[in-house]
Amino acid sequence: MTASSTIAREALSVDVVDAAHALLGATLIADTAAGSPAGTVALRLVEVEAYRGADDPASHSYRGRTARNAVMFGPAGHLYVYFIYGMHYCANVVCLADGVPGAVLLRAGEVTEGHDLARRRRPAARRVAELASGPARLTEVLGIGREHNGADLTDPRSPVRLLQGPPVPPAEISAGPRVGIAVAQDTPWRFWVTGSPAVSAYRRGGKATRRAETGSNGIRG
DNA sequence: ATAACGATTAGCT
DNA sequence: GCTAATCGTTATA
Protein backbone atom coordinates (compact mmCIF):
# COMPACT_ATOMS: atom_id res chain seq x y z
CA MET A 1 0.00 0.00 0.00
CA THR A 2 1.53 3.23 -1.16
CA ALA A 3 0.26 6.77 -0.96
CA SER A 4 -0.84 6.41 -4.57
CA SER A 5 -3.02 3.32 -4.46
CA THR A 6 -6.04 3.50 -6.72
CA ILE A 7 -9.54 3.69 -5.28
CA ALA A 8 -11.36 0.34 -5.04
CA ARG A 9 -14.23 -0.26 -7.42
CA GLU A 10 -16.43 -1.29 -4.49
CA ALA A 11 -16.12 2.21 -3.03
CA LEU A 12 -17.74 3.58 -6.19
CA SER A 13 -20.36 0.86 -6.67
CA VAL A 14 -22.72 2.87 -4.49
CA ASP A 15 -25.37 5.54 -4.99
CA VAL A 16 -24.20 8.61 -6.89
CA VAL A 17 -24.70 10.97 -3.93
CA ASP A 18 -22.55 8.81 -1.65
CA ALA A 19 -19.93 8.41 -4.37
CA ALA A 20 -19.90 12.18 -4.91
CA HIS A 21 -18.98 12.73 -1.27
CA ALA A 22 -16.33 10.00 -1.43
CA LEU A 23 -14.75 11.53 -4.52
CA LEU A 24 -14.17 14.92 -2.92
CA GLY A 25 -10.55 14.98 -1.74
CA ALA A 26 -9.50 12.14 -4.03
CA THR A 27 -6.76 12.62 -6.60
CA LEU A 28 -7.29 12.28 -10.34
CA ILE A 29 -4.05 11.72 -12.24
CA ALA A 30 -3.56 11.51 -16.01
CA ASP A 31 -0.53 10.50 -18.06
CA THR A 32 -1.46 11.59 -21.53
CA ALA A 33 0.59 10.96 -24.63
CA ALA A 34 -1.38 12.30 -27.57
CA GLY A 35 -3.21 15.53 -28.16
CA SER A 36 -1.99 18.36 -26.03
CA PRO A 37 1.64 18.29 -24.83
CA ALA A 38 2.43 14.90 -23.30
CA GLY A 39 3.04 14.53 -19.58
CA THR A 40 1.47 14.02 -16.19
CA VAL A 41 -0.96 16.28 -14.37
CA ALA A 42 -2.73 15.45 -11.11
CA LEU A 43 -5.38 17.30 -9.15
CA ARG A 44 -7.40 17.07 -5.95
CA LEU A 45 -11.13 16.93 -6.65
CA VAL A 46 -13.01 19.76 -4.92
CA GLU A 47 -16.31 20.00 -6.84
CA VAL A 48 -18.57 17.28 -8.26
CA GLU A 49 -22.18 16.70 -9.30
CA ALA A 50 -24.24 13.52 -8.95
CA TYR A 51 -26.33 12.27 -11.87
CA ARG A 52 -28.46 9.23 -11.17
CA GLY A 53 -30.10 7.09 -13.83
CA ALA A 54 -33.72 6.54 -14.70
CA ASP A 55 -35.23 8.78 -11.99
CA ASP A 56 -33.06 11.86 -12.67
CA PRO A 57 -34.36 13.88 -15.65
CA ALA A 58 -31.07 15.83 -15.79
CA SER A 59 -29.03 12.68 -16.36
CA HIS A 60 -27.80 11.62 -19.78
CA SER A 61 -29.08 8.13 -18.94
CA TYR A 62 -32.63 9.29 -18.11
CA ARG A 63 -34.01 8.24 -21.49
CA GLY A 64 -32.26 4.92 -21.64
CA ARG A 65 -29.10 3.52 -23.11
CA THR A 66 -27.59 5.00 -26.27
CA ALA A 67 -24.21 4.74 -27.96
CA ARG A 68 -23.05 7.88 -26.15
CA ASN A 69 -24.05 7.00 -22.59
CA ALA A 70 -23.37 3.24 -22.72
CA VAL A 71 -20.46 3.53 -20.24
CA MET A 72 -22.87 4.91 -17.61
CA PHE A 73 -24.66 1.56 -17.63
CA GLY A 74 -21.50 -0.46 -17.05
CA PRO A 75 -19.53 -1.23 -13.89
CA ALA A 76 -18.45 1.54 -11.51
CA GLY A 77 -15.02 3.08 -11.58
CA HIS A 78 -14.88 3.74 -15.30
CA LEU A 79 -14.63 7.15 -16.96
CA TYR A 80 -17.60 8.48 -18.94
CA VAL A 81 -16.39 11.23 -21.28
CA TYR A 82 -18.76 13.21 -23.50
CA PHE A 83 -18.32 16.02 -26.03
CA ILE A 84 -20.39 19.14 -25.39
CA TYR A 85 -21.14 22.47 -27.09
CA GLY A 86 -19.14 21.38 -30.12
CA MET A 87 -15.82 22.05 -28.42
CA HIS A 88 -15.46 20.76 -24.87
CA TYR A 89 -15.15 17.45 -23.06
CA CYS A 90 -16.58 16.62 -19.64
CA ALA A 91 -15.56 13.66 -17.48
CA ASN A 92 -17.63 11.56 -15.08
CA VAL A 93 -16.93 8.64 -12.75
CA VAL A 94 -19.42 5.82 -13.28
CA CYS A 95 -21.18 4.64 -10.09
CA LEU A 96 -23.74 2.07 -8.91
CA ALA A 97 -23.93 -1.61 -9.81
CA ASP A 98 -23.21 -2.96 -13.28
CA GLY A 99 -26.37 -2.43 -15.31
CA VAL A 100 -27.65 0.46 -13.17
CA PRO A 101 -26.88 3.84 -14.79
CA GLY A 102 -25.36 6.71 -12.83
CA ALA A 103 -22.25 8.88 -12.68
CA VAL A 104 -20.56 11.78 -10.92
CA LEU A 105 -19.50 14.75 -13.06
CA LEU A 106 -16.04 16.06 -12.13
CA ARG A 107 -16.40 19.85 -12.04
CA ALA A 108 -13.23 21.24 -10.47
CA GLY A 109 -9.92 20.36 -8.86
CA GLU A 110 -6.80 21.86 -7.36
CA VAL A 111 -3.73 20.99 -9.45
CA THR A 112 -1.21 19.16 -7.25
CA GLU A 113 1.27 17.92 -9.85
CA GLY A 114 2.38 19.15 -13.27
CA HIS A 115 1.66 22.87 -12.86
CA ASP A 116 3.92 23.86 -15.78
CA LEU A 117 2.19 21.47 -18.17
CA ALA A 118 -1.21 22.53 -16.86
CA ARG A 119 -0.41 26.18 -17.57
CA ARG A 120 0.72 25.34 -21.09
CA ARG A 121 -2.54 23.50 -21.72
CA ARG A 122 -4.65 26.30 -20.25
CA PRO A 123 -2.97 29.60 -21.10
CA ALA A 124 -6.22 31.46 -20.44
CA ALA A 125 -6.00 30.66 -16.73
CA ARG A 126 -4.87 33.74 -14.84
CA ARG A 127 -4.45 32.08 -11.48
CA VAL A 128 -3.46 28.60 -10.36
CA ALA A 129 -6.95 28.15 -8.92
CA GLU A 130 -8.44 28.68 -12.41
CA LEU A 131 -6.48 25.84 -14.03
CA ALA A 132 -9.20 23.26 -13.39
CA SER A 133 -12.09 25.43 -12.18
CA GLY A 134 -14.85 24.02 -14.39
CA PRO A 135 -15.64 20.62 -15.96
CA ALA A 136 -14.17 21.38 -19.39
CA ARG A 137 -11.18 23.14 -17.86
CA LEU A 138 -10.55 20.05 -15.76
CA THR A 139 -10.43 17.73 -18.78
CA GLU A 140 -8.29 20.27 -20.62
CA VAL A 141 -5.51 20.39 -17.99
CA LEU A 142 -5.54 16.62 -17.69
CA GLY A 143 -5.52 16.05 -21.45
CA ILE A 144 -8.69 13.95 -21.30
CA GLY A 145 -10.63 13.42 -24.54
CA ARG A 146 -12.79 10.90 -26.40
CA GLU A 147 -10.05 8.31 -26.33
CA HIS A 148 -10.41 8.07 -22.56
CA ASN A 149 -14.11 7.24 -22.59
CA GLY A 150 -14.52 3.96 -20.72
CA ALA A 151 -11.05 4.03 -19.12
CA ASP A 152 -10.84 2.04 -15.88
CA LEU A 153 -9.90 4.55 -13.17
CA THR A 154 -9.17 1.76 -10.69
CA ASP A 155 -6.54 0.08 -12.90
CA PRO A 156 -2.97 1.13 -11.95
CA ARG A 157 -1.98 0.71 -15.63
CA SER A 158 -4.68 3.04 -16.93
CA PRO A 159 -3.55 6.44 -18.29
CA VAL A 160 -6.20 8.08 -16.08
CA ARG A 161 -6.51 6.93 -12.46
CA LEU A 162 -8.28 7.81 -9.23
CA LEU A 163 -6.10 7.79 -6.15
CA GLN A 164 -7.18 7.62 -2.55
CA GLY A 165 -6.96 10.96 -0.76
CA PRO A 166 -7.69 12.20 2.74
CA PRO A 167 -11.50 12.16 2.95
CA VAL A 168 -13.17 15.55 3.29
CA PRO A 169 -15.10 15.79 6.59
CA PRO A 170 -18.86 16.23 6.02
CA ALA A 171 -18.70 19.55 7.86
CA GLU A 172 -16.43 20.90 5.11
CA ILE A 173 -18.72 19.87 2.25
CA SER A 174 -21.29 22.29 0.80
CA ALA A 175 -24.23 21.37 -1.40
CA GLY A 176 -26.39 23.23 -3.91
CA PRO A 177 -28.21 22.89 -7.24
CA ARG A 178 -26.34 21.53 -10.23
CA VAL A 179 -24.92 23.96 -12.79
CA GLY A 180 -26.22 24.57 -16.29
CA ILE A 181 -29.17 22.19 -16.37
CA ALA A 182 -32.70 23.09 -17.51
CA VAL A 183 -34.54 20.47 -15.44
CA ALA A 184 -34.40 19.26 -11.83
CA GLN A 185 -33.07 22.65 -10.81
CA ASP A 186 -34.17 22.12 -7.22
CA THR A 187 -32.15 18.96 -6.68
CA PRO A 188 -29.07 19.94 -4.62
CA TRP A 189 -26.67 17.37 -6.02
CA ARG A 190 -23.67 19.63 -6.58
CA PHE A 191 -21.12 19.15 -3.82
CA TRP A 192 -17.92 21.09 -3.17
CA VAL A 193 -15.19 21.56 -0.60
CA THR A 194 -16.22 24.68 1.29
CA GLY A 195 -13.81 27.52 0.69
CA SER A 196 -11.69 25.93 -2.03
CA PRO A 197 -10.54 28.65 -4.47
CA ALA A 198 -10.87 26.21 -7.38
CA VAL A 199 -14.63 25.74 -7.07
CA SER A 200 -16.36 26.99 -10.24
CA ALA A 201 -18.97 29.73 -10.37
CA TYR A 202 -22.64 28.80 -10.17
CA ARG A 203 -24.76 29.49 -13.24
CA ARG A 204 -28.41 28.68 -13.60
CA GLY A 205 -29.45 26.48 -16.47
CA GLY A 206 -31.13 27.50 -19.70
CA LYS A 207 -34.93 27.53 -19.86
CA ALA A 208 -37.22 26.31 -17.08
CA THR A 209 -38.10 29.88 -16.10
CA ARG A 210 -38.48 29.15 -12.43
CA ARG A 211 -39.95 31.71 -10.08
CA ALA A 212 -37.50 33.76 -8.07
CA GLU A 213 -36.94 31.97 -4.79
CA THR A 214 -36.94 35.26 -2.86
CA GLY A 215 -33.37 35.68 -1.79
CA SER A 216 -32.47 32.01 -1.62
CA ASN A 217 -29.92 30.62 -4.02
CA GLY A 218 -30.58 27.05 -2.97
CA ILE A 219 -27.19 26.68 -1.35
CA ARG A 220 -26.79 25.08 2.03
CA GLY A 221 -23.80 23.96 4.02
C1' DA B 1 -33.23 14.06 -43.77
C1' DT B 2 -33.06 17.87 -40.89
C1' DA B 3 -33.16 21.05 -37.07
C1' DA B 4 -32.67 22.19 -32.22
C1' DC B 5 -29.88 22.18 -28.40
C1' DG B 6 -26.44 21.30 -24.92
C1' DA B 7 -23.81 18.77 -17.40
C1' DT B 8 -19.16 25.29 -21.27
C1' DT B 9 -15.80 28.78 -21.83
C1' DA B 10 -13.62 33.15 -23.05
C1' DG B 11 -14.03 37.63 -24.12
C1' DC B 12 -16.46 41.78 -24.30
C1' DT B 13 -20.04 45.74 -22.56
C1' DG C 1 -24.52 41.34 -17.43
C1' DC C 2 -24.38 39.07 -22.78
C1' DT C 3 -23.03 36.15 -26.60
C1' DA C 4 -20.16 33.75 -30.26
C1' DA C 5 -17.83 29.60 -31.06
C1' DT C 6 -18.82 24.83 -32.94
C1' DC C 7 -20.58 19.87 -33.73
C1' DG C 8 -22.34 15.31 -31.94
C1' DT C 9 -26.61 13.61 -30.22
C1' DT C 10 -31.31 13.52 -30.08
C1' DA C 11 -35.91 14.32 -31.52
C1' DT C 12 -38.80 15.33 -35.30
C1' DA C 13 -39.96 21.84 -33.81
Side-chain angles (χ1 to χ4, degrees), chain A residues 5 14 65 102 114 117 137 142 164 171 193 197 204:
Chain A
S5 61
V14 297
R65 182 175 184 144
L117 178 54
R137 293 171 171 182
L142 293 174
Q164 205 84 245
V193 177
R204 190 166 123 264

Side-chain angles (χ1 to χ4, degrees), chain A residues 44-68:
Chain A
R44 171 181 179 249
L45 295 173
V46 298
E47 182 189 354
V48 299
E49 282 177 0
Y51 287 87
R52 199 177 274 154
D55 65 337
D56 179 7
S59 173
H60 284 176
S61 51
Y62 182 59
R63 290 172 178 82
R65 182 175 184 144
T66 66
R68 175 175 69 154

Side-chain angles (χ1 to χ4, degrees), chain A residues 28 60 67-72 78-84 88-94 103-106 135-136 138-140 142-153 160:
Chain A
L28 186 63
H60 284 176
R68 175 175 69 154
N69 66 22
V71 176
M72 283 183 81
H78 289 256
L79 196 64
Y80 165 49
V81 179
Y82 65 90
F83 185 55
I84 189 69
H88 301 301
Y89 292 99
C90 292
N92 304 248
V93 176
V94 174
V104 172
L105 172 68
L106 308 179
L138 183 150
T139 58
E140 188 89 32
L142 293 174
I144 290 175
R146 313 189 75 86
E147 68 272 27
H148 299 110
N149 187 39
D152 185 356
L153 299 169
V160 189

Side-chain angles (χ1 to χ4, degrees), chain A residues 149-183:
Chain A
N149 187 39
D152 185 356
L153 299 169
T154 69
D155 184 346
R157 297 163 305 178
S158 172
V160 189
R161 306 176 299 285
L162 261 176
L163 309 181
Q164 205 84 245
V168 177
E172 293 173 29
I173 297 177
S174 297
R178 293 169 290 183
V179 176
I181 55 175
V183 295

Side-chain angles (χ1 to χ4, degrees), chain A residues 40-43 109-122 125 127-129 131 141:
Chain A
T40 299
V41 171
L43 53 77
E110 298 167 350
V111 173
T112 56
E113 181 183 338
H115 286 88
D116 291 349
L117 178 54
R119 292 216 68 116
R120 248 177 298 150
R121 287 172 171 172
R122 290 226 346 101
R127 311 191 308 268
V128 174
L131 286 170
V141 284

